[in-house]
Structure formats: structure tokens, C-alpha cells
Amino acid sequence: MKTQNNHRAYSAYYVVPAMLCGIATACLVTGSVGYMVLGAIFGLLSAGFWINVVQHGEEA
């Protein structure tokens, strides 16, 4: 039972850095706030993809 909830316990280790990297990349490339928000959203989407798809593929 503990292995089923294990990926949720460590999700912050993927979500926070992905969001910060998305913001930092948009800030370096464009410097506008709108693209920084868009970069944060894409960072969160990529972290969610990694947690839900790639992590489950490694367990199977």
C-alpha cells in the first residue's frame, strides 16, 4: 500500500523546480511577465507529465 502513495509524496521535488526553470527560461529569453507565466504553466505541465506518465512507466 505504501508504494501506491509514494509518487505523490515526492511530487513537490518535480513540480517546484520545473516551475522555476520555466520562469527562468522565459525571463532569460524574453523578459516579459506574460511569457514568464506561460513558462511556469508549461513547467507545471511537464512536471505533471513526468510524474503521471514516466514514473508509472518505470514501475510497470
Side-chain angles (χ1 to χ4, degrees), residues 18-27 29-47:
M19 185 177 65
L20 293 176
C21 287
I23 292 172
T25 302
C27 181
V29 172
T30 62
S32 69
V33 177
Y35 283 113
M36 289 170 62
V37 171
L38 188 64
I41 291 170
F42 283 141
L44 290 174
L45 287 174
S46 64

Side-chain angles (χ1 to χ4, degrees), residues 4-20:
Q4 292 176 352
N5 293 331
N6 192 18
H7 72 280
R8 298 206 188 275
Y10 297 111
S11 64
Y13 293 127
Y14 297 109
V15 171
V16 174
M19 185 177 65
L20 293 176

